[in-house]
Amino acid sequence: MAALGEAAARWAPGLWRRAARAAAAFGGCRFASGSQNPPTFGLLLDIDGVLVRGHQVIPAAREAFRRLVDSQGQLRVPVVFVTNAGNILQCSKAQELSALLGFQPLPRNEFPAIEGVLLLGEPVRWETSLQLIMDVLLSDGNPGTGLATAPYPHLPVLASNTDLLWMAEAKMPRFGHGTFLLCLEAIYRKVTGRELCYAGLMGKPSLLTYQYAEGLLARQAARRGWAAPIRSLYAVGDNPMSDIYGANLFHQHLQTRREGAARSCASILVCTGVYGPRAPGPAAPSPGGEGPPFHGHRDLGFSPGLLQAAHVVSDVHEAVRLVLGREGWAL
């Protein structure tokens, strides 16, 4: 749900880094020893629509993790779960996933202090959250006093999830936090005549999310004492606009940067969530025809070609088989 903390009058530079930890990715799992060479690749796995639908695990996810863990339930390769859902503590989500999928987590119990307005996910009662956020913005962080005129620029607003749609147990996609942001932006414009401005947009498809996830993979490998750098990343997701667009954008970034170990990020689209052969969610643009409606946030640039996944597979089990085969690991 949308997290509304104490609104600070001044922007705190450290919020960028701390919010990225809360909203971008989490990892830190134990890995197994074995005779196989240390991995030079890592997996970035989306959760909703890839591993679970609501509170129900997707059967293919269990099959995938049988290939990714050893007999002691420890992961054989570095894995980071990259999700835009920020309405649960990292440690709680790690414990939930480990119980569903059968691996041993080693989560860090970290959650940032909130300075400013930090929006993590769509709330349960939208009207209440919209009203409270507007109160804070229009009063410059003092909703108990009120101001004659609304301050502008307003307090910093940071959003960690711009997904218009996401997939739960229902057959049709559900409204995501991006839809909530649309409502907030429309209300602020209607009331003030000005545009709501964001100090930052994080979560997929933001580069910051993938840069942070890459760092987690590298630290996992370092903790195991694996000297070989993680060169290849594979990002598995169900939403073309967030998962695939973000992975392809990060791949472009990796082709031009001069520092860092990773050299590529391959996008893998599964058909168990927002995307499907007959799904109403965003699809890749057809050659020579009209592209799909843009489901991304208004402040994000749009390049239709980045919606094209490097690989399209049926589910996460097939995705894992694809990755292990490309890397020459035993299936």
Side-chain angles (χ1 to χ4, degrees):
M1 40 191 313
L4 178 63
E6 294 182 359
R10 294 188 180 88
W11 177 247
L15 181 58
W16 275 99
R17 179 174 54 82
R18 295 196 298 274
R21 289 202 302 268
F26 62 94
C29 301
R30 291 192 181 96
F31 301 100
S33 300
S35 58
Q36 194 150 19
N37 291 332
T40 58
F41 64 98
L43 289 169
L44 307 179
L45 298 182
D46 185 28
I47 296 177
D48 294 302
V50 174
L51 303 179
V52 299
R53 294 274 295 267
H55 296 289
Q56 300 297 318
V57 66
I58 295 173
R62 288 200 179 100
E63 294 299 320
F65 271 79
R66 288 192 182 102
R67 298 185 181 277
L68 291 175
V69 302
D70 67 3
S71 58
Q72 284 75 46
Q74 297 178 329
L75 289 166
R76 301 166 57 207
V77 300
V79 175
V80 167
F81 300 97
V82 186
T83 177
N84 279 353
N87 56 351
I88 185 173
L89 290 174
Q90 293 179 14
C91 57
S92 300
K93 193 64 176 181
Q95 291 167 358
E96 177 186 336
L97 287 175
S98 65
L100 289 172
L101 301 173
F103 67 92
Q104 296 182 14
L106 187 63
R108 287 182 172 83
N109 191 3
E110 296 179 353
F111 204 76
I114 299 172
E115 304 159 354
V117 179
L118 176 60
L119 306 176
L120 294 179
E122 65 277 7
V124 175
R125 296 187 58 183
W126 286 31
E127 72 282 3
T128 300
S129 294
L130 289 168
Q131 182 68 70
L132 292 175
I133 294 169
M134 286 295 295
D135 288 348
V136 170
L137 294 177
L138 297 179
S139 65
D140 203 30
N142 297 286
T145 58
L147 294 175
T149 58
Y152 202 83
H154 52 68
L155 285 173
V157 178
L158 190 68
S160 66
N161 178 354
T162 62
D163 287 355
L164 189 74
L165 303 170
W166 69 289
M167 212 62 192
E169 291 98 338
K171 299 295 184 183
M172 299 284 288
R174 303 293 88 188
F175 291 149
H177 195 226
T179 308
F180 177 78
L181 297 180
L182 279 176
C183 296
L184 177 61
E185 293 155 12
I187 293 171
Y188 188 86
R189 186 188 314 112
K190 194 72 173 178
V191 171
T192 68
R194 297 175 180 270
E195 293 293 333
L196 181 72
C197 297
Y198 295 91
L201 293 173
M202 292 190 284
K204 298 171 293 186
S206 167
L207 278 178
L208 182 63
T209 299
Y210 292 88
Q211 290 167 335
Y212 180 65
E214 179 194 7
L216 288 180
L217 288 174
R219 288 197 290 274
Q220 288 182 19
R223 285 197 299 271
R224 282 295 301 147
W226 292 331
I230 303 299
R231 298 289 188 188
S232 303
L233 307 181
Y234 296 89
V236 184
D238 70 303
N239 191 329
M241 188 56 245
S242 58
D243 302 317
I244 302 307
Y245 196 96
N248 289 337
L249 187 65
F250 188 52
H251 179 75
Q252 282 189 352
H253 171 72
L254 293 177
Q255 304 308 294
T256 58
R257 77 173 186 183
R258 297 180 180 178
E259 74 288 345
R263 295 291 180 264
S264 65
C265 181
S267 56
I268 305 178
L269 180 62
V270 299
C271 302
T272 52
V274 170
Y275 177 80
R278 299 183 181 179
S286 56
E290 258 188 47
F294 177 48
H295 284 184
H297 191 268
R298 62 163 201 217
D299 293 348
L300 298 175
F302 181 52
S303 176
L306 294 181
L307 290 173
Q308 295 279 6
H311 307 277
V312 179
V313 298
S314 59
D315 52 45
V316 68
H317 183 211
E318 188 176 339
V320 168
R321 286 175 55 87
L322 171 69
V323 172
L324 297 182
R326 285 173 61 91
E327 294 295 330
W329 277 50
L331 297 176

